[in-house]
Amino acid sequence: MIKCPKCEAEFEDGTEFCTKCGEKLTSIVPAENKTVSESVVENNQENVVVQEIIEEVEEKKTGNGSRVFYWILAILVLILSLYASFKIGAAGSEIGSIRSVGGKTLEEAYYQELGNVYKGFSVMTSVIGIFFSAVLVKLGKK
């Protein structure tokens, strides 16, 4: 049923003119009797909004999982790099402490310098590990 906007008389759907006042009724579509195309448009808009909400929730779910992954990876990289640095430094100390039997020789000086190279490499390994851990933490915050 539709109502005439002028005199409020009720008529069946499809009536073109009000029989009481003569007002044209074809352009009037009551809210409860929307056309199929209007209903489809509204449903599509609602579906788009619902889909956007679902995508946002899914993104947040995966975002939290990837954050945890990056943090764990950062901690693992830091621990392994510090462990490697410690082992390299220990090896450098051992090499640097090699003494010859007969006194100071060229070989002894060589081993002492090689020990210093290992110690420098140890520091470099720590710095690289800390850098990559910081990068992973930064990626985890995004």
Side-chain angles (χ1 to χ4, degrees), residues 73-123:
L73 193 58
I75 291 168
L76 186 63
V77 166
L78 183 62
I79 289 170
L80 289 175
S81 68
L82 293 178
Y83 177 74
S85 174
F86 170 75
K87 292 302 249 179
I88 293 167
S93 293
E94 271 186 51
I95 290 172
S97 66
I98 294 175
R99 302 281 180 244
S100 64
V101 177
K104 191 154 181 127
T105 65
L106 185 60
E107 290 174 13
E108 191 174 316
Y110 169 77
Y111 286 128
Q112 287 173 351
E113 286 303 312
L114 187 59
N116 289 335
V117 169
Y118 269 72
K119 289 176 186 174
F121 186 62
S122 169
V123 171

Side-chain angles (χ1 to χ4, degrees), residues 10-37:
E10 290 187 358
F11 297 96
E12 292 293 321
D13 290 344
T15 307
E16 288 189 65
F17 294 98
C18 176
T19 56
K20 290 188 178 180
C21 69
E23 183 74 14
K24 186 171 183 180
L25 302 175
T26 54
S27 63
I28 301 168
V29 179
E32 57 273 347
N33 293 329
K34 293 179 184 170
T35 64
V36 173
S37 62

Side-chain angles (χ1 to χ4, degrees), residues 2 7 20-21 23 31 43 48-49 51 54-55 57 72 83 85 93 95 107 111 121 123 138 141-142:
I2 58 172
C7 69
K20 290 188 178 180
C21 69
E23 183 74 14
N43 285 339
V48 167
V49 170
Q51 187 63 33
I54 289 171
E55 288 172 2
V57 168
I72 291 172
Y83 177 74
S85 174
S93 293
I95 290 172
E107 290 174 13
Y111 286 128
F121 186 62
V123 171
K138 183 71 174 173
K141 287 185 177 181
K142 286 187 175 183

